[in-house]
Amino acid sequence: MALPARAWREYLQLTQEECARKLGISQAAYSQLETSNNPRKTTRNKLATALGINPEQLDC
């Protein structure tokens, strides 16, 4: 998920801090999430909701 999550965040012109705030986590935790190759399904769904996209859009 690393590349799609970052690509969507940058496309939406959001910082890691802004995304982290939407998820209720620290920027450092968000950074780890963004570079994770295998996040939990619930985490992926929360990220998609925070970005305003469908979870499938985070698939490679």
Side-chain angles (χ1 to χ4, degrees):
M1 179 172 83
L3 294 175
R6 181 177 177 181
W8 274 107
R9 178 180 58 79
E10 291 177 349
Y11 174 76
L12 296 169
Q13 299 180 334
L14 296 170
T15 64
Q16 285 188 346
E17 182 66 36
E18 290 168 323
C19 286
R21 202 169 327 132
K22 289 181 178 204
L23 290 168
I25 60 176
S26 70
Q27 180 275 327
Y30 179 82
S31 179
Q32 289 180 347
L33 167 66
E34 196 172 86
T35 58
S36 172
N37 289 326
N38 197 16
R40 293 180 8 195
K41 185 177 179 179
T42 55
T43 303
R44 190 180 77 126
N45 290 342
K46 287 179 184 179
L47 177 57
T49 299
L51 295 173
I53 61 174
N54 294 318
E56 295 79 27
Q57 291 176 282
L58 291 172
D59 292 338
C60 293

